[in-house]
Amino acid sequence: AVELFTPCPDMINKEGVSAISDEAGKLLFYSRGNDVYNAEHDVMANGSEIFGSYSSTQSSVVVPQPGNPNLYYLFTVYHRGEGMFAYSKIDMTLGDGRGAVTERGVSLGFNAEEKMAAVRHAYNDAYWVVTRGYKTNEFRLFLVDESGLAVLPDSISKQTLGAKEPGNMGQGQGSLCFS
């Protein structure tokens, strides 16, 4: 029989979680935004308190680094715009193959709402990661390609769309997706 689900008490969560598996479907790691767990359900080396929050509607998203099947970027956001949009870099060759966080909670320089999404680039050689600035109508774009996380000029990375969220409306909750 194929086991499709292994219970993990650390992933009982009311809001956003993310996970990634290898090409064979074997779990590599997962997060609910504040910690990173390996496939054995232990906190990964250097993977605690990565500056995200388990109480964000979309707390984290995992993106593989194209061209390197062992490197991953985990993007996180703190709840209610109270913290930064950040990333952690994970190397699955470390920790005897269980992985380790090599860059932890690196700020991307702004507060984001509780929403983000990732999508493969049209040329299949990169990934776009998008989030929305806290209580603004400014969306931020990030590119992960074979070189890693690309720093893009503001003319590309900042896009203004729609209306600003009024100051008395919500706390940045919600979701973001591509269709």
Side-chain angles (χ1 to χ4, degrees), residues 2-143:
V2 175
E3 186 175 332
L4 297 177
F5 178 74
T6 302
C8 178
D10 293 319
M11 285 306 290
I12 297 172
N13 203 42
K14 294 180 184 177
E15 298 190 69
V17 297
S18 61
I20 195 156
S21 60
D22 65 15
E23 289 182 0
K26 178 184 169 203
L27 177 66
L28 295 175
F29 64 89
Y30 57 94
S31 178
R32 60 182 183 166
N34 55 333
D35 298 315
V36 185
Y37 296 88
N38 62 31
E40 296 172 358
H41 312 299
D42 296 320
V43 174
M44 192 177 278
N46 200 31
S48 63
E49 299 180 18
I50 59 170
F51 303 108
S53 174
Y54 67 90
S55 184
S56 291
T57 49
Q58 289 179 308
S59 64
S60 60
V61 65
V62 182
V63 177
Q65 182 173 322
N68 191 328
N70 297 306
L71 295 179
Y72 297 86
Y73 285 84
L74 177 67
F75 293 88
T76 56
V77 63
Y78 205 73
H79 71 288
R80 296 185 181 156
E82 295 170 3
M84 62 188 158
F85 186 65
Y87 75 89
S88 296
K89 191 171 182 180
I90 297 163
D91 186 339
M92 292 304 297
T93 65
L94 302 175
D96 294 326
R98 292 186 305 273
V101 176
T102 59
E103 296 177 40
R104 184 173 142 268
V106 179
S107 174
L108 289 166
F110 70 100
N111 290 354
E113 293 189 345
E114 296 184 16
K115 50 188 82 127
M116 67 179 118
V119 65
R120 188 180 292 261
H121 190 282
Y123 299 120
N124 290 324
D125 61 353
Y127 290 86
W128 288 108
V129 177
V130 180
T131 189
R132 182 176 176 167
Y134 184 62
K135 291 194 176 188
T136 72
N137 59 343
E138 185 176 89
F139 287 78
R140 301 284 185 109
L141 308 167
F142 299 91
L143 185 71

